[in-house]
Amino acid sequence: MLVRPSGAIVPCLALAILTSGCKSARAPRLASGHDERAVSLVIANVPVAAEYFEPRQAGSRPAVVLLYGSGGMVGAAPAYRWYARSLADSGVTTIICPYFEASHGRERRNAANTRIWVKAVQDCVTFLGKQPHTDKRRIGILGFSMGGYLGMSAIPHEPRVHAFVDFFGPRPELRASDWAKFPPSLILHGRDDRSVGVSNSRELDRNLTAAKVRHELVLYPAQGHGFREPAAGDAHRRTVEFFVKNLAQPQ
């Protein structure tokens, strides 16, 4: 389903994923209702440290694995942390999964690395599910660009994922039966994206529609591989609201 963007305008560039045209901005800090710390875990058999954002309220909580794009945490780290902080302040524990470290580098996608990175994603899901305040029945994935590709690649093998948001990710080649395993999904893409063509999200929309998966496609006019205002603020709002709504109750 195609939805036209609307919503609040927030300071530009702070939310511009991949900081396209917005390199001087810093993401604004929320009034913190969460704690941040480094956590140690093992992904794809490699010990790593990851950034962990945890709400302060007591009780069982949903959680999200955030997957950065092909640039890793270089340059766009403030934007990724802005999403993680926003989710944590909304009651959703978030981990930024450092999947590049599982292959000891930031090489471009290839068959060998993709297998390693998908395993890293699954191990981040496992880590979240073992945390004392995480409801393992309420875990989601948020993927940006290549992170979206990896999220889509992992989901058919990962029934613990119950919500998915994709920012302009390349669509993997999956079987029809694999698309039917997807949870409720939100797809966000710029119509003028020259790095990952919008045809990827249109085809993803068709695949999920054919599989009768509940989902939403939002295409932003005059936006490329990274959003400026007002699209940046709209995408941010939709993402947080989507996870809060779809992870509100055990699936």
Side-chain angles (χ1 to χ4, degrees), residues 158-249:
E158 194 44 82
R160 297 172 294 179
V161 174
H162 295 289
F164 174 57
V165 176
D166 169 48
F167 275 75
F168 38 76
R171 183 186 60 88
E173 292 298 328
L174 300 177
R175 298 172 298 183
S177 58
D178 289 332
W179 296 114
K181 297 175 183 177
F182 270 57
S185 300
L186 173 63
I187 310 159
L188 305 159
H189 212 128
R191 290 181 183 270
D192 294 343
D193 192 332
R194 296 183 180 180
S195 297
V196 177
V198 70
S199 59
N200 285 269
S201 287
R202 293 187 187 277
E203 187 63 23
L204 173 58
D205 174 45
R206 287 191 285 269
N207 292 146
L208 295 179
T209 298
K212 299 182 179 179
V213 172
R214 180 165 57 87
H215 69 285
E216 186 173 48
L217 171 65
V218 182
L219 301 180
Y220 293 101
Q223 300 292 327
H225 201 65
F227 301 154
R228 301 183 183 87
E229 286 303 321
D234 183 78
H236 173 267
R237 176 186 60 80
R238 287 179 185 273
T239 297
V240 174
E241 290 180 356
F242 178 86
F243 281 122
V244 169
K245 177 182 178 180
N246 286 279
L247 298 178
Q249 298 296 330

Side-chain angles (χ1 to χ4, degrees), residues 2-21:
L2 175 63
V3 177
R4 293 191 176 277
S6 61
I9 296 178
V10 295
C12 174
L13 322 190
L15 305 180
I17 301 307
L18 306 184
T19 59
S20 175

Side-chain angles (χ1 to χ4, degrees), residues 7-86:
I9 296 178
V10 295
C12 174
L13 322 190
L15 305 180
I17 301 307
L18 306 184
T19 59
S20 175
C22 299
K23 296 181 180 179
S24 63
R26 293 183 179 180
R29 294 297 300 270
L30 294 171
S32 178
H34 69 276
D35 295 310
E36 302 177 19
R37 66 180 189 274
V39 294
S40 298
L41 66 158
V42 177
I43 56 173
N45 301 314
V46 177
V48 301
E51 296 185 34
Y52 190 76
F53 303 77
E54 186 173 37
R56 288 183 182 151
Q57 65 262 40
S60 181
R61 315 179 190 108
V64 163
V65 175
L66 188 154
L67 304 174
Y68 47 59
S70 62
M73 293 296 283
V74 177
Y80 297 134
R81 291 180 183 130
W82 167 249
Y83 273 81
R85 288 168 177 147
S86 299

